Amino acid sequence: MASRLKSTFRFHLDMHSGVPVYRQIVDQVRGAVAGCNLNAGDQLPTVRQLAVDLEINPNTVVRAYRELEYDGLLETHQGTGTFISDQKLHRPADERQRQLEQIASDSIARAGAAGFTIRELIDQLRSASEGRKQ
Amino acid sequence: MASRLKSTFRFHLDMHSGVPVYRQIVDQVRGAVAGCNLNAGDQLPTVRQLAVDLEINPNTVVRAYRELEYDGLLETHQGTGTFISDQKLHRPADERQRQLEQIASDSIARAGAAGFTIRELIDQLRSASEGRKQ
DNA sequence: CCATGTGTACTATATAGCTAGTACACTAAT
DNA sequence: ATTAGTGTACTAGCTATATAGTACACATGG
């Protein structure tokens, strides 16, 4: 059987938020990875187990995992399980560029909606960057 | 009639992108404001005119304009027209700065989770900005 | 007051999205 | 080969979303 650790990460759903269940799962996994609560090699709950825990249909879990797999954040192995992938080293450059453009576009839209210019956003990012000594 | 300038900004739709029409309008206005192609006081195309230009239903334009109005990005005056609002006058500077920091922080978190550096994000934003101004 | 141009409200309908149900396929341990 | 555990595929139905149709209300200029 699998020798890799199962994470202790716990999911939580808000059924009254209006946010689709599969999206809540996606966001929680992304957040956990970004916050190092989930790390490369960690096994996620199985499709069925998470479906039981959250009292939802297995296909809803599948949908969430599939989107994360498409993003390269995790790998699924039929018959074995679903695991956090070894980062983005294997992802093609064009897909990577596409994702960066998406992030930038969303950031611009959000800043614009709040009445900020791209210039202001860039300046803020730059000062934040210096603050982190990156 | 209205003395304020009508902007020369042009909308463009991709009917095959799968992105809702109203959302394309919203994003283009937000982007234009962020990129200073639309400025405070500019009049947007009328609901009916834009509907004719884009060959869509007026209500679709209404929906887009309403979302932007809710965000405080524009103001509608029944019988007169729809105009880009001057948000800077309506919000305290410190709250504005706090909001900008929040947006920047979120953008950094998202980019970081996807394996990008702040530098890469800034470069992408800059090229997007230049692309808008030609 | 009237004509015209503006945004608004309400309803209807087609489409897409989300979730569920059920059955199948692959993997590994026995 | 069997069995239990895993992900996968396909279908269906309900819900929300997006758009269209039609009629109404406000603003401005003659």
Side-chain angles (χ1 to χ4, degrees):
Chain A
M1 213 6 143
S3 55
R4 294 190 256 195
L5 291 175
K6 278 201 179 180
S7 84
T8 57
F9 178 69
R10 306 289 291 174
F11 288 87
H12 174 266
L13 293 185
D14 181 354
M15 303 304 277
H16 305 288
S17 64
V19 179
V21 171
Y22 88 95
R23 179 135 300 283
Q24 295 185 47
I25 296 172
V26 167
D27 290 342
Q28 286 177 42
V29 171
R30 283 182 177 152
V33 170
C36 295
N37 295 107
L38 285 175
N39 301 289
D42 284 352
Q43 181 174 13
L44 288 165
T46 68
V47 167
R48 281 174 185 74
Q49 186 60 52
L50 187 54
V52 170
D53 288 349
L54 300 179
E55 298 180 307
I56 58 177
N57 190 284
N59 274 331
T60 303
V61 179
V62 167
R63 167 141 192 193
Y65 282 7
R66 185 167 298 161
E67 177 165 330
L68 290 163
E69 182 181 27
Y70 180 79
D71 283 348
L73 202 65
L74 52 79
E75 293 169 6
T76 58
H77 300 289
Q78 183 162 332
T80 306
T82 303
F83 306 87
I84 302 295
S85 91
D86 247 334
Q87 297 309 329
K88 299 88 183 169
L89 301 181
H90 308 88
R91 296 168 53 207
D94 58 343
E95 181 184 335
R96 213 174 124 75
Q97 176 61 22
R98 185 186 62 77
Q99 187 176 14
L100 179 58
E101 287 172 0
Q102 181 64 47
I103 292 172
S105 173
D106 289 350
S107 299
I108 290 171
R110 187 174 166 198
F116 297 103
T117 66
I118 298 178
R119 172 58 50 194
E120 286 176 300
L121 176 60
I122 290 176
D123 288 345
Q124 179 61 38
L125 287 169
R126 188 178 290 121
S127 76
S129 173
E130 290 166 358
R132 287 163 190 243
K133 176 183 168 277
Q134 182 156 331
Chain B
M1 217 4 174
S3 56
R4 291 191 259 195
L5 291 174
K6 279 202 178 178
S7 83
T8 57
F9 178 70
R10 305 291 289 173
F11 289 87
H12 174 263
L13 293 185
D14 181 354
M15 304 303 278
H16 305 289
S17 65
V19 179
V21 171
Y22 88 95
R23 179 134 300 284
Q24 295 185 47
I25 296 173
V26 167
D27 290 342
Q28 285 176 42
V29 172
R30 282 179 176 159
V33 171
C36 294
N37 294 106
L38 285 175
N39 302 286
D42 284 351
Q43 180 174 14
L44 289 165
T46 69
V47 168
R48 281 174 184 74
Q49 186 60 51
L50 187 54
V52 170
D53 288 349
L54 300 179
E55 299 180 307
I56 59 178
N57 189 283
N59 274 331
T60 304
V61 179
V62 168
R63 167 145 192 190
Y65 282 7
R66 185 166 299 160
E67 178 166 329
L68 291 163
E69 183 182 27
Y70 180 81
D71 283 348
L73 198 66
L74 53 80
E75 294 169 6
T76 59
H77 301 290
Q78 184 163 334
T80 306
T82 304
F83 305 87
I84 302 294
S85 74
D86 189 353
Q87 303 178 90
K88 295 171 183 170
L89 298 181
H90 298 71
R91 299 189 186 189
D94 56 345
E95 179 186 334
R96 220 177 114 73
Q97 175 60 24
R98 190 183 56 78
Q99 188 178 17
L100 178 58
E101 287 172 0
Q102 182 64 44
I103 292 171
S105 174
D106 288 350
S107 299
I108 290 171
R110 185 173 167 200
F116 296 104
T117 66
I118 299 179
R119 182 77 208 178
E120 285 176 299
L121 177 59
I122 290 176
D123 289 344
Q124 179 61 40
L125 287 170
R126 186 177 292 120
S127 78
S129 173
E130 288 165 359
R132 288 167 194 276
K133 292 177 183 174
Q134 299 164 2

